[in-house]
């Protein structure tokens, strides 16, 4: 029987588009991410996924950026077996299962309460994996996360829903909480934000986008003096895209689709 869902706000509802995109990637002959859990959830949840229309462009984009964020987090965990990991605005993403960290790592998926309630219902428990029901803009939720350990923080698809001021406050809070760590998120140029607000594939979230876009990846270094850019990962230049349709590469070169990776 399909898993019934609580009433989600339109913002929370945005998780279904990325979940579905990862499931559709998984059904491709050679998936980029291979997220079998996403595929399982799309089959199980009582949600009309046929109303969503992710095109190939969006599917490959969502799968590739998730893969890049997994690589950043996986590499950090390999170097820091005592790490704390955070996935902000985790939706129903099963990143912690893809990463499969050792039990010495504590991983926190942070999301609004309605979503965490559903996560608990549909995703298995695993040692070291925790869920925090919170609005990431609220100050208190970090109290539940151990400080003083190296931290890797990822945000996949969430940044567009925060204003720049909210982001600056959030990053500063995170940097103050942990002694050292890395932050990676998929960012948007101003042009990419314009496209997100006008493209058919992202129509469902267009009105919720509050981030104005960022053309200078070094801008966050000015948000907080401890932040240093590690790498600007232009998706159109990553090795995986050699197999993508040429139109994809042209499109994402133009929009500057990017994952940004910082350390502090
Ligand atoms: C596009 S979805 C991406 C979900 C997931 N990261 C993924 O890749 O499937 C954006 C998610 O960010 C969450 N979100 C947005 N603003 C948030 C906030 N202020 N606090 C917590 N979660 C937030 C939404 O509820 C939604 O699940």
């Amino acid at each position: 029987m399909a898993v019934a869902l609580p009433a989600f706000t339109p913002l929370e509802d945005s998780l279904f588009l990325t979940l579905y995109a990862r499931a559709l990637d998984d059904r491709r002959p050679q998936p980029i991410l291979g997220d079998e859990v996403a595929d399982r959830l799309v089959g199980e949840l009582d949600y009309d996924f046929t109303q969503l229309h992710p095109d190939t462009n969006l599917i490959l984009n969502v799968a590739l950026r998730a893969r890049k964020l997994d690589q950043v987090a996986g590499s950090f965990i390999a170097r820091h077996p005592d790490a704390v990991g955070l996935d902000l605005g985790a939706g129903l993403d099963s990143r912690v299962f893809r990463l499969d960290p050792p039990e010495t790592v504590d991983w926190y998926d942070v999301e609004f309460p309605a979503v965490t309630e559903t996560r608990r219902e549909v995703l298995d428990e695993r040692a070291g994996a925790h869920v925090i029901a919170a609005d990431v803009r609220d100050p208190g939720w970090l109290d539940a996360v151990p400080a003083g350990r190296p931290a890797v923080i990822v945000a996949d698809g969430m940044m567009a829903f925060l204003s720049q001021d909210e982001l600056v406050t959030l990053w500063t809070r995170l940097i103050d909480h942990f002694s050292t760590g890395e932050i990676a998120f998929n960012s948007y140029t101003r042009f990419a934000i314009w496209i997100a607000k006008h493209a058919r594939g992202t129509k469902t979230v267009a009105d919720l986008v509050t981030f104005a876009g960022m053309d200078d990846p070094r801008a966050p270094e000015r948000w907080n003096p401890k932040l240093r850019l590690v790498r600007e990962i232009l998706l159109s230049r990553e090795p995986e895209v050699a197999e993508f349709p040429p139109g994809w590469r042209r499109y994402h070169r133009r929009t500057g689709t990017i994952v940004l990776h910082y350390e502090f």
Side-chain angles (χ1 to χ4, degrees):
M1 207 175 79
V3 177
L5 296 164
F8 281 167
T9 64
L11 184 52
E12 292 161 345
D13 212 68
S14 68
L15 71 87
F16 291 110
L17 186 60
T18 43
L19 181 72
Y20 192 36
R22 285 192 302 274
L24 294 179
D25 167 64
D26 191 54
R27 294 175 200 171
R28 296 171 59 249
Q30 285 168 327
I32 299 299
L33 189 66
D35 187 344
E36 291 171 9
V37 178
D39 206 353
R40 170 178 70 79
L41 292 181
V42 164
E44 285 179 9
L45 298 175
D46 185 13
Y47 185 84
D48 178 14
F49 285 95
T50 62
Q51 66 180 311
L52 305 175
H53 304 283
D55 56 14
T56 306
N57 201 348
L58 185 76
I59 294 165
L60 294 175
N61 181 23
V62 167
L64 184 57
R65 79 189 194 202
R67 183 175 153 112
K68 295 295 138 185
L69 292 169
D70 283 6
Q71 286 171 352
V72 169
S75 155
F76 189 88
I77 287 168
R79 283 175 283 129
H80 303 280
D82 59 336
V84 171
L86 276 85
D87 190 344
L88 306 180
L92 294 178
D93 191 2
S94 57
R95 171 163 284 118
V96 67
F97 292 89
R98 293 197 301 272
L99 292 175
D100 194 20
E103 289 183 16
T104 49
V105 169
D106 281 292
W107 186 270
Y108 294 82
D109 287 303
V110 190
E111 252 294 348
F112 291 122
V115 180
T116 55
E117 191 186 309
T118 305
R119 279 191 77 89
R120 288 197 177 96
E121 203 178 330
V122 299
L123 291 172
D124 294 338
E125 289 185 9
R126 57 169 287 151
H130 316 272
V131 172
I132 296 182
D135 181 329
V136 296
R137 293 167 299 186
D138 290 344
W141 63 266
L142 258 175
D143 296 348
V145 182
R149 282 163 59 184
V152 62
I153 301 150
V154 296
D156 192 349
M158 188 203 65
M159 171 156 175
F161 303 119
L162 299 189
S163 70
Q164 183 167 313
D165 284 351
E166 289 169 335
L167 274 172
V168 174
T169 305
L170 174 61
W171 291 156
T172 297
R173 220 173 257 148
L174 290 163
I175 291 165
D176 289 346
H177 187 79
F178 298 107
S179 53
T180 176
E182 296 182 11
I183 297 179
F185 56 94
N186 67 303
S187 187
Y188 303 85
T189 58
R190 297 180 83 82
F191 183 50
I193 288 287
W194 187 90
I195 300 271
K197 281 176 171 286
H198 293 88
R200 182 169 180 256
T202 46
K203 193 170 65 169
T204 49
V205 293
D207 292 343
L208 306 172
V209 170
T210 49
F211 186 60
M214 182 167 74
D215 292 338
D216 177 8
R218 294 212 170 261
E221 294 181 339
R222 297 189 286 277
W223 299 353
N224 188 301
K226 289 191 187 154
L227 269 182
R228 286 280 163 271
L229 179 67
V230 175
R231 192 155 94 90
E232 179 188 6
I233 306 171
L234 287 168
L235 295 194
S236 60
R237 296 207 190 138
E238 289 301 290
E240 292 88 345
V241 308
E243 306 302 322
F244 288 12
W248 189 97
R249 291 199 291 278
R250 271 197 305 278
Y251 176 85
H252 288 283
R253 252 198 310 269
R254 255 183 81 220
T255 53
T257 309
I258 203 168
V259 165
L260 295 177
H261 178 189
Y262 299 86
E263 62 186 4
F264 60 90

